[in-house]
Amino acid sequence: MPRFFVSGFEGGTAVVTGEDARHIAKVLRMRIGEKLTLCDGRGEDCLCEITGVGEAVTLRVLSREPSKSEPTVRVTLFQALPKAEKMEFIVQKCTELGVCSIVPVLTQRCVSRPDGRALESKEARWRKIALEAAKQSGRGAVPAVLHTMDFDQALASLASMERAVMLYELGGIPFSQAISPDMREVGILIGPEGGFEESEAAAAKAAGISVAGLGLRILRTETAPLCALSVVMFATGNL
């Protein structure tokens, strides 16, 4: 069944506008009386019936229920900015795997360091990718792509979480020991292509963040978050 995200609708009716309305009317060629699913972006699915098709699509809400596709664990990925378009790949695949939010981070070894309008444009692009990936994968919520943080801001945010882990290419405790089946929130910090500076790993430890490794092989910056998320989802019964 077609699935769309619409924010801010309450009660028994909803309105879809813009690109989604055009897709419903022109691409899917849906008509009055046909049904689709609307998601409020916060984990609730609404079965709806189309009552009008035009520049906007109007719908009647038939039923509401919590989305069955959202994981029980909230994972925030703190991803050091990689080169080229790797961040787009990371956002897309992590959305499919169930990430709750993504925080771009500038670390000492980041080669890509956009600022100003260039950074705002990239963040907007990543949010659009997260939305499209959430639609494709049947998510009940769209992961938030937050504003880019510096390393110290990322550590402060991680330190406030129930569980926080830095994945360090020089190792640490096994990642499986840093997580548990009953956890409900975890933040995962991953470095750029060149990895973390030793001083950054030391600062993470001082902030109370677990420093862990993903085995004896060094994973690429775009591979590590997918591996970590898969492990977390499996360990918490979400795979």
Side-chain angles (χ1 to χ4, degrees):
M1 182 176 294
R3 188 179 189 87
F4 297 90
F5 285 92
V6 178
S7 60
F9 70 95
E10 301 278 343
T13 61
V15 179
V16 178
T17 59
E19 184 178 330
D20 284 343
R22 288 189 291 273
H23 187 77
I24 292 168
K26 304 297 184 182
V27 179
L28 298 179
R29 297 183 180 276
M30 299 188 75
R31 296 292 180 257
I32 291 172
E34 293 190 88
K35 296 179 178 61
L36 53 76
T37 300
L38 291 185
C39 306
D40 65 358
R42 299 186 298 273
E44 186 174 65
D45 290 349
C46 299
L47 176 63
C48 298
E49 181 180 61
I50 296 174
T51 57
V53 179
E55 289 297 317
V57 176
T58 57
L59 305 106
R60 180 166 61 94
V61 178
L62 302 177
S63 62
R64 296 173 180 261
E65 64 177 5
S67 173
K68 296 180 176 65
S69 62
E70 286 305 297
T72 58
V73 60
R74 296 173 59 84
V75 182
T76 299
L77 172 66
F78 292 80
Q79 174 67 50
L81 282 181
K83 294 183 289 186
E85 279 131 26
K86 293 177 184 177
M87 191 67 174
E88 295 184 4
F89 174 85
I90 291 168
V91 169
Q92 182 188 66
K93 300 309 176 188
C94 288
T95 295
E96 293 175 21
L97 284 167
V99 77
C100 174
S101 54
I102 299 170
V103 184
V105 181
L106 284 170
T107 66
Q108 292 186 47
R109 294 183 183 174
C110 283
V111 174
S112 176
R113 309 187 80 86
D115 57 11
R117 289 186 178 178
L119 184 57
E120 289 178 5
S121 177
K122 285 181 178 291
E123 290 172 347
R125 170 70 177 156
W126 299 331
R127 291 182 188 111
K128 184 175 181 181
I129 289 170
L131 173 60
E132 293 303 319
K135 290 179 183 177
Q136 178 274 321
S137 59
R139 293 284 304 268
V142 182
V145 179
L146 305 183
H147 291 299
T148 302
M149 295 183 179
D150 62 32
F151 185 73
D152 289 340
Q153 289 172 323
L155 286 191
S157 184
L158 278 157
S160 69
M161 294 184 167
E162 174 191 330
R163 197 74 51 88
V165 186
M166 169 193 269
L167 292 177
Y168 188 35
E169 66 277 7
L170 296 184
I173 63 173
F175 184 58
S176 59
Q177 293 181 14
I179 60 176
S180 62
D182 61 344
M183 64 185 183
R184 290 293 176 263
E185 180 188 49
V186 60
I188 301 172
L189 175 61
I190 291 175
E193 289 87 351
F196 289 111
E197 292 282 357
E198 290 185 18
S199 60
E200 291 174 325
K205 289 179 182 178
I209 296 164
S210 299
V211 175
L214 284 171
L216 300 178
R217 296 164 300 283
I218 296 177
L219 304 183
R220 293 179 182 270
T221 187
E222 67 270 30
T223 307
L226 308 189
C227 177
L229 264 169
S230 298
V231 171
V232 168
M233 294 302 166
F234 180 79
T236 57
N238 287 288
L239 273 184

